[in-house]
Amino acid sequence: MNDAPKNARPGKKATAPKETPPPTSEASVDKQGKQIFVHHLTRVEGHGNIVVSIDHNDKIETCRWEVPEAPRFFEAMVLGRSWRDIHHITSRICGICSIGHQLASLQATEEALAIRPSEQTHVLRKLALHGENMQSHLLHLGYLVLPDLLNVDSVIPLAQSHPKELKNLIALHRLANEFSRVISGRTTHPQRLIPGGMGKLPTAEELKDIRKQLEDSVPKLKAAAELFAALREKFPDFERPTEYVALVSEAEYPLYWGDIGSSHDKRKPARFYMDTAKEYMVPHSTAKWARNVKQSYMVGALARYNLNHAMLHPLARKVADQVGLTPMSTNPYFNNLAQLVEVVHSVEDSIRHIDRLLTKGLKREPYPKVEPRAGKGVGAVEVPRGLLFHAYEYDDDGRIVRADCVIPTNQNHANIQHDLDELTPTISGKSEAEIELTLSMLVRAYDPCISCSTHLIDMSGQEGGRGVRFVREPKAGESRKA
């Protein structure tokens, strides 16, 4: 599957003769086209390839999004492990979304074992999720997206050409890291978030300090909004009607919990996640793809914005107006604008939650007494790249007998491919450099976490073929659905 030309380098495009059967006549040689092979697309998490076939008239025939990474087997790793360990193991699925994975894991375990966290714990978890959202979005916008908009290959030249703008985004990113450390104990792979509560609380002084830093960040957020508003025209003008899926709630802009919402389907409780995330396999990907009522759907910041924009805080709404983001936006490149809007919302919402905690006073709560028992649970949280599900089944001793993790990028792979299919005819005839940049920007707009999305191997090479599923075989009369 990994048929990179010999001169291909990670992140570099290589132009190679299109692979066709050996020519049998001079005329057939004339009909040969060429390939643009973006081997290991840069400025994304993990490894993915873009393969473009162009005919002799410079018309793009096909464009394929490949995921060649070796599968990872986290669902298998947790089998037989105690409920006390699962959230620590599953946070290692991702170095960027470790807090989100840990919270989805905790939700699933708590539902299965009937553990009821306090209101204070829920508020602290929401703060942890805001910190992670800010960390990831600012990293992506500042270091991975901005170079495309300013016509350079990486963030490094921006230190010379746009030092003020870059330092502003770095300062915001540093604040997000510190915010995560104060709430979760670490900037990644947190230790304070445990089943039923918190292993250690932040102090009131730490909360007051981080609140002041969040409040002081508003001028920097406004400067970032001005920057991206000025660069808005750099995003390609491309629209494709799409199904959007995200958590929805009447109470807030939901990241921590809610029902599963869709722009094209009825609302469902999270425990019915398999009725929305219908996963399948394709031969050229080690990651699963997903569909719901349409041929594909999108999760992530743009999906959340389209479904929940009415719940944004005032400054976030103002920033959305400033950068020209309106619901229902169907331009996938604008996922990056939605990420910026969410950063502003996270700052506003975090200040509100911290005020709530300080007004009530932080209380050290007793460690929850947990009685292991057999049970099933589903966790659903919004992480930076979209909707994340963890589903577990425990035995009588509180050990995992079945696990299923549905990663946001898994759910986006099919939508990326369908976007590429519809985008490529519009850029036929452009230079190879323009084609490569336009397609690479599209994939990067999704902020894909490719490594986290590879969960199984298709041994057959056939669509719908048998994969390796690390789940306990259901007993007679049991349904696989959680």
Coordinates of all heavy atoms in Angstrom, one line a residue, residues 422-464:
E422 N -14.7 16.2 -4.4 CA -15.5 17.3 -4.9 C -14.6 18.5 -5.2 O -14.9 19.3 -6.1 CB -16.6 17.7 -4.0 CG -17.6 18.6 -4.6 CD -19.0 18.5 -4.0 OE1 -19.4 17.3 -3.7 OE2 -19.7 19.5 -3.9
L423 N -13.5 18.6 -4.4 CA -12.6 19.8 -4.6 C -11.7 19.6 -5.9 O -11.5 20.6 -6.6 CB -11.7 19.9 -3.4 CG -10.6 21.0 -3.4 CD1 -11.2 22.4 -3.6 CD2 -9.8 20.9 -2.2
T424 N -11.2 18.4 -6.1 CA -10.2 18.3 -7.2 C -10.7 18.7 -8.6 O -9.8 19.3 -9.3 CB -9.7 16.8 -7.2 OG1 -10.8 15.9 -7.2 CG2 -8.8 16.5 -6.1
P425 N -11.9 18.5 -9.0 CA -12.3 19.0 -10.3 C -12.2 20.5 -10.5 O -12.0 21.1 -11.5 CB -13.7 18.5 -10.5 CG -13.9 17.4 -9.6 CD -13.0 17.7 -8.4
T426 N -12.3 21.2 -9.3 CA -12.2 22.7 -9.4 C -10.8 23.2 -9.5 O -10.7 24.4 -9.7 CB -12.9 23.3 -8.1 OG1 -12.1 23.0 -7.0 CG2 -14.3 22.7 -7.9
I427 N -9.8 22.4 -9.2 CA -8.4 22.9 -9.3 C -7.6 22.2 -10.4 O -6.4 22.4 -10.5 CB -7.7 22.7 -7.9 CG1 -7.8 21.2 -7.5 CG2 -8.4 23.5 -6.9 CD1 -7.0 21.0 -6.2
S428 N -8.3 21.4 -11.3 CA -7.6 20.9 -12.4 C -7.0 22.0 -13.3 O -7.6 23.0 -13.4 CB -8.6 20.0 -13.3 OG -8.8 18.8 -12.7
G429 N -5.8 21.8 -13.8 CA -5.2 22.8 -14.6 C -4.3 23.7 -13.9 O -3.5 24.5 -14.5
K430 N -4.4 23.7 -12.5 CA -3.5 24.6 -11.7 C -2.1 23.9 -11.7 O -2.0 22.7 -12.0 CB -4.1 24.8 -10.3 CG -5.3 25.6 -10.3 CD -5.8 25.9 -8.9 CE -7.0 26.7 -8.8 NZ -6.8 28.1 -9.3
S431 N -1.1 24.7 -11.2 CA 0.2 24.1 -11.1 C 0.2 23.0 -10.1 O -0.6 23.0 -9.2 CB 1.2 25.2 -10.8 OG 1.0 25.6 -9.4
E432 N 1.2 22.1 -10.2 CA 1.3 21.1 -9.2 C 1.5 21.7 -7.8 O 1.0 21.1 -6.8 CB 2.5 20.2 -9.5 CG 2.3 19.4 -10.8 CD 3.5 18.6 -11.2 OE1 4.4 18.3 -10.3 OE2 3.7 18.2 -12.3
A433 N 2.2 22.7 -7.6 CA 2.4 23.4 -6.3 C 1.1 23.9 -5.8 O 0.8 23.7 -4.6 CB 3.4 24.5 -6.4
E434 N 0.3 24.5 -6.6 CA -1.0 25.0 -6.1 C -1.9 23.8 -5.8 O -2.7 23.9 -4.8 CB -1.7 25.8 -7.2 CG -1.0 27.2 -7.5 CD -1.7 27.9 -8.6 OE1 -1.6 27.4 -9.8 OE2 -2.2 29.0 -8.4
I435 N -1.9 22.7 -6.6 CA -2.8 21.6 -6.2 C -2.3 21.0 -4.9 O -3.2 20.7 -4.0 CB -2.7 20.5 -7.4 CG1 -3.3 21.1 -8.6 CG2 -3.3 19.2 -6.9 CD1 -3.1 20.2 -9.9
E436 N -1.0 20.8 -4.7 CA -0.5 20.2 -3.5 C -0.9 21.0 -2.3 O -1.4 20.5 -1.3 CB 1.0 20.0 -3.5 CG 1.5 19.3 -2.3 CD 2.9 19.8 -1.9 OE1 3.5 20.5 -2.7 OE2 3.4 19.4 -0.8
L437 N -0.7 22.4 -2.4 CA -1.0 23.2 -1.3 C -2.5 23.2 -0.9 O -2.9 23.1 0.2 CB -0.6 24.7 -1.6 CG -0.9 25.7 -0.5 CD1 -0.2 25.3 0.8 CD2 -0.5 27.1 -0.9
T438 N -3.4 23.3 -2.0 CA -4.8 23.4 -1.7 C -5.3 22.1 -1.1 O -6.1 22.1 -0.1 CB -5.6 23.6 -3.1 OG1 -5.1 24.8 -3.7 CG2 -7.1 23.7 -2.8
L439 N -4.8 20.9 -1.5 CA -5.2 19.7 -0.9 C -4.7 19.5 0.4 O -5.3 19.0 1.4 CB -4.8 18.5 -1.9 CG -5.4 18.5 -3.3 CD1 -4.9 17.4 -4.1 CD2 -7.0 18.5 -3.2
S440 N -3.4 19.8 0.6 CA -2.8 19.7 2.0 C -3.5 20.6 3.0 O -3.7 20.2 4.1 CB -1.3 20.0 1.9 OG -0.6 19.2 1.0
M441 N -3.8 21.8 2.6 CA -4.5 22.7 3.5 C -5.9 22.1 3.9 O -6.3 22.3 5.0 CB -4.7 24.1 2.8 CG -3.5 25.0 2.8 SD -3.9 26.6 2.0 CE -5.0 27.3 3.2
L442 N -6.5 21.4 2.9 CA -7.8 20.9 3.3 C -7.7 19.8 4.4 O -8.4 19.8 5.4 CB -8.5 20.2 2.0 CG -9.8 19.5 2.3 CD1 -10.9 20.4 2.8 CD2 -10.2 18.7 1.1
V443 N -6.7 18.9 4.2 CA -6.6 17.9 5.2 C -6.1 18.5 6.6 O -6.7 18.2 7.6 CB -5.5 16.8 4.8 CG1 -5.3 15.8 5.9 CG2 -6.0 16.1 3.5
R444 N -5.2 19.5 6.5 CA -4.8 20.1 7.7 C -5.9 20.9 8.4 O -5.9 21.0 9.6 CB -3.6 21.1 7.4 CG -2.3 20.4 7.4 CD -1.1 21.4 7.5 NE -0.9 22.1 6.3 CZ -0.1 21.7 5.3 NH1 0.6 20.6 5.5 NH2 0.1 22.4 4.2
A445 N -6.9 21.4 7.6 CA -8.0 22.1 8.2 C -8.8 21.2 9.2 O -9.3 21.7 10.2 CB -9.0 22.6 7.1
Y446 N -8.8 19.9 9.0 CA -9.4 19.0 9.9 C -8.6 18.8 11.2 O -9.1 18.1 12.1 CB -9.7 17.6 9.2 CG -10.8 17.6 8.3 CD1 -10.8 18.1 7.0 CD2 -12.0 17.0 8.7 CE1 -11.9 18.0 6.2 CE2 -13.1 16.9 7.9 CZ -13.1 17.5 6.6 OH -14.2 17.4 5.8
D447 N -7.4 19.2 11.2 CA -6.5 19.0 12.4 C -6.5 17.5 12.7 O -6.7 17.1 13.9 CB -7.0 19.8 13.6 CG -6.0 19.9 14.7 OD1 -4.9 19.5 14.5 OD2 -6.4 20.4 15.8
P448 N -6.2 16.6 11.7 CA -6.4 15.2 12.0 C -5.3 14.7 13.0 O -4.2 15.1 12.9 CB -6.2 14.6 10.6 CG -5.3 15.5 9.9 CD -5.7 16.9 10.4
C449 N -5.7 13.8 13.8 CA -4.8 13.0 14.7 C -4.8 11.6 14.2 O -5.5 10.7 14.6 CB -5.3 13.1 16.2 SG -4.0 12.6 17.3
I450 N -3.9 11.4 13.1 CA -4.0 10.2 12.4 C -3.5 9.0 13.2 O -4.1 7.9 13.1 CB -3.1 10.4 11.1 CG1 -3.6 11.6 10.3 CG2 -3.1 9.1 10.3 CD1 -2.7 12.0 9.2
S451 N -2.5 9.2 14.0 CA -2.0 8.1 14.8 C -3.0 7.5 15.7 O -3.2 6.3 15.8 CB -0.8 8.5 15.6 OG 0.3 9.0 14.8
C452 N -3.8 8.3 16.3 CA -4.9 7.9 17.2 C -6.0 7.1 16.5 O -6.8 6.4 17.1 CB -5.4 9.0 18.0 SG -4.2 10.0 18.9
S453 N -6.1 7.3 15.2 CA -7.2 6.8 14.5 C -7.0 5.4 13.9 O -7.9 4.8 13.3 CB -7.6 7.7 13.3 OG -6.7 7.7 12.3
T454 N -5.8 4.8 14.0 CA -5.5 3.5 13.5 C -5.7 2.5 14.6 O -4.9 2.4 15.5 CB -4.0 3.5 13.0 OG1 -3.2 3.8 14.1 CG2 -3.8 4.4 11.8
H455 N -6.7 1.7 14.4 CA -7.1 0.8 15.5 C -7.2 -0.7 15.1 O -7.5 -1.5 15.9 CB -8.5 1.2 16.1 CG -8.3 2.3 17.1 ND1 -8.8 2.2 18.4 CD2 -7.7 3.5 17.0 CE1 -8.5 3.3 19.0 NE2 -7.8 4.1 18.2
L456 N -7.1 -1.0 13.8 CA -7.3 -2.4 13.4 C -6.5 -2.6 12.1 O -6.1 -1.7 11.4 CB -8.7 -2.7 13.3 CG -9.6 -1.8 12.4 CD1 -9.4 -2.2 10.9 CD2 -11.1 -2.0 12.7
I457 N -6.4 -3.8 11.7 CA -5.8 -4.2 10.5 C -6.8 -4.9 9.6 O -7.6 -5.8 10.1 CB -4.6 -5.2 10.7 CG1 -3.6 -4.6 11.6 CG2 -4.1 -5.7 9.4 CD1 -2.4 -5.6 11.9
D458 N -6.9 -4.5 8.4 CA -7.7 -5.2 7.4 C -6.8 -6.2 6.7 O -6.0 -5.9 5.9 CB -8.3 -4.2 6.4 CG -9.1 -4.9 5.3 OD1 -9.4 -6.1 5.4 OD2 -9.5 -4.3 4.3
M459 N -7.0 -7.5 7.1 CA -6.1 -8.5 6.5 C -6.5 -9.0 5.1 O -5.8 -9.6 4.4 CB -6.2 -9.8 7.5 CG -5.7 -9.4 8.9 SD -4.1 -8.8 9.0 CE -3.2 -10.3 8.7
S460 N -7.8 -8.7 4.7 CA -8.3 -9.2 3.4 C -8.0 -8.2 2.3 O -7.9 -8.7 1.1 CB -9.8 -9.4 3.5 OG -10.4 -8.1 3.6
G461 N -7.8 -6.9 2.5 CA -7.6 -6.0 1.5 C -8.9 -5.7 0.7 O -8.9 -4.9 -0.2
Q462 N -10.0 -6.2 1.2 CA -11.3 -6.0 0.5 C -12.2 -5.0 1.4 O -12.1 -5.1 2.6 CB -12.1 -7.3 0.4 CG -11.4 -8.3 -0.5 CD -11.2 -7.9 -1.9 OE1 -12.1 -7.3 -2.5 NE2 -10.0 -8.1 -2.4
E463 N -12.9 -4.2 0.8 CA -13.8 -3.3 1.5 C -14.8 -4.1 2.3 O -15.4 -5.0 1.7 CB -14.5 -2.3 0.6 CG -15.4 -1.3 1.3 CD -16.0 -0.3 0.5 OE1 -15.7 -0.3 -0.8 OE2 -16.7 0.6 1.0
G464 N -14.9 -3.8 3.5 CA -15.8 -4.6 4.4 C -15.3 -5.9 4.8 O -16.0 -6.7 5.4

